[in-house]
Amino acid sequence: MTASAAEIQARTLAGYADASRLRQVHDRDWVLDQVTGEPRVLLDLGSGIGQLLGAALDRFPSLEKAVGLERSPHRIAEAAGRLRAYGPRVALHESDLTAPEPLPHRPDVVTMTSVLHWLYPHEQRVLKWTHDHLAPDGVFLLTTYHPARDAHGLGGEDDIVRTVLEARHADVPGLFTAAGILPIATRTRTFDELEPLLEGYFRIEGVLDRDAVVTVESAAQYEHFHAATFGDYYSRLVEPAERAGFFRAVGEAAWRRQAETGHVSHMTVRLWRLAPA
């Protein structure tokens, strides 16, 4: 059986440059607006295809090194091509952020945008690592997404997926549990849970909140956004033969929701400005 375009995209996390326009591009500019002075070294945790690194290099001529840590070899390869023109000012490392290896860099700025929930429940590992690597007068700029969640811990993208799965399964929360897949909204800690976790390693200098609203131009656009952003995380809830239809149904569910409410989703995003404790 030939895999669909969305299935291939989900396996390789391809197409994120287009998908990120729906959400991540706003985080990138918002975060970089908080960088002050003339940073010499910037480190992006979960650097993806290198969009934030490229924007930082363009914005801050003082940067001698822009460093990216990313788990996906496909995204590392795409980032390398995207950033090739910057030459030795760029260093990319394939790394699992739940167990990152030591680096020789002492960054003035560390960024992490919409990644922390993927590290649940071991976020403290990367927080400690960041604390140990950050320059004494450096800043850690962290964004966290906070979808509303129900009693089963489902919310945000989980709701779109639930809409698709309810056509075949009476107990969708039970399906998540049986598959050993945590809803994304469960992975995302609340503000009250995050604050003491962060304060174990950092001093909170300030927070900014905004409402992230996702709208799309078609069902197909959301289908590819889901595949590029979440990969095969949710599609594992259905049998292999059903996965092409699953991705298509996710796009259709999102498009119907937008027709009904004017948007696919909205949630609070918090930008934390953190300094070493």
Side-chain angles (χ1 to χ4, degrees):
M1 180 180 296
T2 303
S4 68
E7 288 177 279
I8 295 170
Q9 187 176 13
R11 292 172 192 166
T12 62
L13 297 173
Y16 192 70
D18 291 331
S20 68
R21 294 191 183 100
L22 297 180
R23 183 178 291 167
Q24 281 293 90
V25 68
H26 304 295
D27 276 3
R28 181 193 69 201
D29 298 333
W30 191 36
V31 166
L32 291 179
D33 284 345
Q34 310 309 312
V35 177
T36 58
E38 298 183 344
R40 292 174 48 255
V41 179
L42 181 145
L43 169 63
D44 189 27
L45 299 171
S47 52
I49 61 174
Q51 291 168 300
L52 186 145
L53 294 175
L57 286 160
D58 289 339
R59 186 183 288 212
F60 304 109
S62 61
L63 275 180
E64 299 169 8
K65 188 72 72 174
V67 185
L69 266 63
E70 169 59 42
R71 182 172 185 171
S72 165
H74 300 288
R75 287 184 171 174
I76 285 278
E78 187 171 347
R82 177 183 296 273
L83 301 172
R84 185 172 293 115
Y86 298 99
R89 295 176 69 199
V90 174
L92 301 173
H93 301 273
E94 188 175 333
S95 178
D96 178 353
L97 293 181
T98 63
E101 297 180 0
L103 291 180
H105 311 290
R106 294 285 282 176
D108 313 281
V109 180
V110 176
T111 57
M112 178 188 277
T113 58
S114 191
V115 171
L116 194 65
H117 58 279
W118 289 111
L119 309 181
Y120 178 91
H122 303 299
E123 303 98 322
Q124 74 280 0
R125 297 178 184 174
V126 77
L127 295 176
K128 181 182 185 304
W129 186 96
T130 302
H131 171 274
D132 293 345
H133 282 75
L134 188 62
D137 58 349
V139 62
F140 180 25
L141 299 169
L142 168 71
T143 66
T144 55
Y145 277 62
H146 299 276
R149 63 190 187 198
D150 65 12
H152 302 290
L154 277 70
E157 193 70 12
D158 308 323
D159 284 335
I160 303 293
V161 171
R162 172 164 44 192
T163 300
V164 173
L165 296 175
E166 280 177 338
R168 304 177 189 178
H169 300 277
D171 180 15
V172 173
L175 183 64
F176 272 81
T177 300
I181 296 175
L182 281 175
I184 296 295
T186 297
R187 286 180 166 275
T188 305
R189 295 185 189 269
T190 66
F191 299 128
D192 290 342
E193 292 170 336
L194 269 175
E195 190 166 330
L197 184 64
L198 295 173
E199 287 180 333
Y201 303 95
F202 301 97
R203 183 177 71 258
I204 299 174
E205 292 189 329
V207 297
L208 296 171
D209 290 346
R210 71 176 181 87
D211 191 27
V213 180
V214 173
T215 60
V216 291
E217 298 173 355
S218 66
Q221 186 185 32
Y222 198 86
E223 176 184 350
H224 292 295
F225 165 78
H226 178 96
T229 303
F230 299 98
D232 61 359
Y233 189 77
Y234 290 108
S235 65
R236 292 176 292 157
L237 291 163
V238 302
E239 295 298 320
E242 300 175 347
R243 287 175 185 167
F246 169 82
F247 285 110
R248 187 167 53 252
V250 166
E252 292 168 352
W255 186 237
R256 285 195 302 272
R257 178 168 294 193
Q258 180 165 306
E260 295 166 359
T261 66
H263 57 263
V264 177
S265 65
H266 74 91
M267 65 188 75
T268 300
V269 185
R270 173 159 289 185
L271 170 54
W272 307 78
R273 185 182 181 89
L274 307 167

